[in-house]
Each structure stands twice: as C-alpha cells, then as structure tokens.
C-alpha cells in the first residue's frame, strides 16, 4: 500500500490536525516523505488541509478512494487492480488506452468526474464531479461477441442488486441497460470491446457503469426531467465505497457464470413496466406505438406485444414515452 493511502486512512480517524513529524514517526519515513505523500493525495483530488500544527481532512469529506473501496469489500483482497482518479475523459476510454499500452485485464477504474462520459450509440452521460459513481471494468475476453447482451444484462443485475443492498431503495431495470428508481433513470451501463477479426473473439471487454448518487440538479437540463439520484441531498461518500465494493463483488461472481439462471429470473422480475401498457418506439424518429411489456426470455431478449403481435428484441434501441407525457425519451 502506498504511503499516501496509509496517511489517508490515518487522517480519516483523526478529529484534529496531526503534525508531519508525528506521521513520519508513525510510518517510519521522513517529514519530506510525508509532504510528498500529502502532495500525491491532493493530486488525486483529496483536499488535505494544512495548518500550523499539521494536516487534517475537512469535515464532511465526500470523496471515494481505493482504500475506501478495499475496506468496504472486506477481509479478502480485491479481485481486480483498482485505481481511483480525480477527473478523466471517460473511464472506458482510459482503460481502453491502458490496454493498448499493457494488454493485461482484471482492472477497475473509478473517477470522481468524467468530461466525456457516454452511453449507448454515442450519447453523452453527464458525470459532474462528486455527483456519481463512475466506474469501468477491464475484463478478460472469455466469451464470443454474441454474449455482449448477456454481459450488459449481467451488469444491470449486479448494479440493481447492489443499490438495493446498500441503500434499501427499490429499483427496476429498463431494457437493456438502464436502472430506474420510480420513473426516473439513476444509472446506465455501457459494454464495449475490441474484436480480433481472425478469431471472431473479443480482445477485451470493457464494462462501464455510471450511477447518479447525489445532487441531480447539477445534471444538464436535457436529462434532468427523466433523471434522479440515490441521495439528492449528497454527503454519502461512505455509501459510494460500499456500493462500488458491492458491484465489484457481484461482477466478479456473475462474470464467471453468465449462465446462472438467477440472472434471468432477477432481471425479468425487475423489468421496468412489466405487464403494463406503454407508448414506445424502436427508433428515435419513429411514431409512438402502444405496446405491452411481457418480459424477457432466457436469452435476455425483450418480449413486447404490439398490435396483437408478439415482437422479440435482441438488440437495438427501445424508447419509452415518459409518464409525464413529455417529448423526452427514457
């Protein structure tokens, strides 16, 4: 563990300033070493305060670090190499670029903010600083490309279960990759890969997850009407760490067995608007069409009843008119 992580854990337990000399003696390093570690913490977005008597963390600090996630995960070592950064373009993009330099997998990246977060079909995903949990997994390519839908739906189950475990909030899953609380979106999932054209197999799988945790008013005006957050008032950094650890635990478990029947059962039970009539469209410019959401089949394909006919969707877009009757698609 880096000295900066040790000092961060130490300062979290203190109520007042701690001198550099005291920490130097506690960790067997020089005061210069402590100063460099504090500098490293600040570079990572941890706002360490300094005064005449030493260093401290500000009251009500609302951030997440790798050590916070490791602590929340429990006694066993994390199954992935975990990094937490301050601000990135996109956690998916950073892991993709990292793979090109070093083709190793089993990595997780968490960022406090994204400047170019995105969802499916290139849509932007708002990622303001400290308002969400933005994380991506770089996973081993153990599956054929046709498993990409299953990986996305597996992640939806992992995120839904983790939110409910950590917050006690009830969630639903909108096919194929969105998590809802009530009638508002709280999380989205994006699965990406690079395919070896000779073998037809992915070289890697990148699984991106974005969860709005707080202050939804900082989201862009375009998405605000159909978005929500786990804790609108904020101040839940400890919950973010627990949530990240819960997601890591489930992704690691389910990715080893994508055929686990629990995934289909849970997803179908949580399917947004299941058994209800909705107005939907399958392309952004199509007219709204009445349909009934019947459920999903064993391959996670969406089953709709439209005009007296059954329609099964295995890919593509699926838009639902919001309950308030606005023009925005959900």
């Amino acid at each position: 563990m880096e000295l900066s992580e040790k000092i961060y854990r130490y300062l979290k337990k203190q109520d007042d300033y701690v001198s550099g000399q005291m920490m130097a003696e506690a960790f067997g390093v020089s005061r210069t070493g402590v100063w460099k570690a504090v500098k490293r913490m600040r570079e990572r977005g941890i706002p360490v305060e300094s005064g005449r008597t030493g260093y401290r963390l500000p009251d009500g600090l609302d951030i997440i670090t790798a050590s916070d996630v490791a602590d929340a995960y429990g006694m066993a070592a994390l199954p992935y190499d975990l990094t937490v950064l301050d601000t990135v373009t996109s956690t998916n993009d950073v892991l993709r670029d990292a793979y090109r330099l070093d083709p190793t997998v089993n990595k997780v990246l968490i960022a406090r903010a994204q400047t170019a977060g995105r969802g499916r079909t290139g849509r932007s995903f708002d990622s303001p600083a400290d308002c969400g949990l933005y994380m991506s997994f770089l996973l081993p390519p153990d599956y054929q490309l046709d498993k990409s839908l299953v990986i996305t739906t597996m992640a939806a189950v992992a995120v839904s279960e983790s939110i409910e475990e950590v917050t006690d909030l009830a969630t639903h899953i909108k096919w194929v990759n969105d998590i809802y609380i009530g009638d508002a979106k709280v999380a989205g999932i994006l699965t990406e890969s690079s395919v070896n054209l000779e073998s037809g197999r992915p070289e890697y799988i990148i699984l991106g997850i974005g969860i709005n945790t707080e202050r939804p008013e900082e989201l862009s005006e375009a998405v605000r009407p159909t978005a929500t957050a786990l804790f609108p008032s904020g101040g839940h950094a400890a919950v973010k760490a627990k949530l990240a650890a819960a997601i890591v635990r489930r992704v690691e478990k389910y990715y080893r067995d994508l055929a686990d029947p629990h995934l289909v059962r849970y997803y179908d039970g949580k399917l947004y608007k299941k058994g209800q009539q909705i107005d939907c469209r399958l392309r952004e410019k199509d007219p709204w069409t009445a349909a009934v959401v019947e459920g999903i089949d064993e391959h996670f394909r969406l089953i709709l009843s439209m005009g007296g006919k059954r329609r099964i969707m295995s890919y593509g877009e699926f838009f639902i008119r919001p309950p308030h009757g606005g023009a925005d698609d959900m």
Side-chain angles (χ1 to χ4, degrees), residues 73-84:
Y73 189 80
M75 295 299 293
L78 285 167
Y80 303 107
D81 179 12
L82 173 66
T83 302
V84 178

Side-chain angles (χ1 to χ4, degrees), residues 101 128 223 225 314:
L101 295 174
V223 302
S314 58

